[in-house]
Amino acid sequence: MPSVIEVTELRKSYGGRAVVDGVSFTVEEGEIFGILGPNGAGKTTTVECVEGLRVPDGGRIRVAGLDPVADHDEVARILGAQLQQSELQAKLTVREALELYSAFYPNPADWRPLAERLGLTPKLGTRFGKLSGGQQQRLFIALALIGSPRVVVLDELTTGLDPRARRDTWQLIEDVRASGVTVLLVTHFMEEAQRLCDRIAVIDKGRVAALDTPAGLIRRSAGATVVSFTPSAPLDERELTGLPALASVEHRDGRITLTGTDETVDAVISLLARHHITAHQLRVTDATLDDAFLDLTRDHTEEAAA
């Protein structure tokens, strides 16, 4: 598929500090592309440059072949955006906001089905200032989609939504992608990224630390497989730490948790059999995107803790 977004060696600094330092990625037509990273990693600055809201210090950005700064009006007609922080005039009703934004575009989507899908229909007569945080977030998602965009950028899509509203919104985004819209999604919800995204760029310290499918990122995790059990008798710690492809060992309340690979699992089962030890409540699970994310951003997390 052709690339609808191209970011090459993007750089942006504030006060002499590099916030985005050579970020490069492409987003293919029709995919949901995710951006993950710790707080302050440069995620929002990156997408604001893609939207044309910030002028890069260096590098090249193209959205459908257009420069978001030099061709801002053209880009605004094909790109919808839900910003991390947004406000509307407090006395504007939900209906007025939807009708107003519809008037900005030559071929807007029908806002009524959008309002229904996002649970806003009962709130059409409610003023923006009287909406809850979650209701305001749903309104901004509707406004991002109302122009029938070719590309939509969603920054912290489901922040403030309850679990049911979050899952309903995920289904909406999947439906939007199915209609041919490309989605650039910034999120800190790992479950959201793992469910929705075709590919993910992990940005750390202003650079792309990894770019892969969710499954590919998980396979890169130091412990792609987790096995936990309560042994019927003590195990020699030296034998445990000597298991092949082992990433970590944890002991808690008599239970042992090992992270590693399938090779680690085979080896621990052989170890238990040799010593005639029973593994009570044996559990073998795959690592999650959380595990991969923590591995990829471990230095950043440790610095923040320090």
Side-chain angles (χ1 to χ4, degrees), residues 19-20 23 36-44 46 203-207 300:
V19 176
V20 180
V23 165
L36 292 176
N39 291 336
K43 306 185 300 298
T44 293
T46 296
I203 295 182
D204 190 26
K205 300 178 184 175
R207 299 182 179 182
H300 190 122

Side-chain angles (χ1 to χ4, degrees), residues 87-88 96-105 108 140 143 146:
E87 285 293 331
L88 293 175
E96 289 169 340
L98 292 167
E99 290 177 342
L100 175 64
Y101 273 65
S102 291
F104 295 158
Y105 300 97
F140 286 124
L143 297 179
I146 209 164

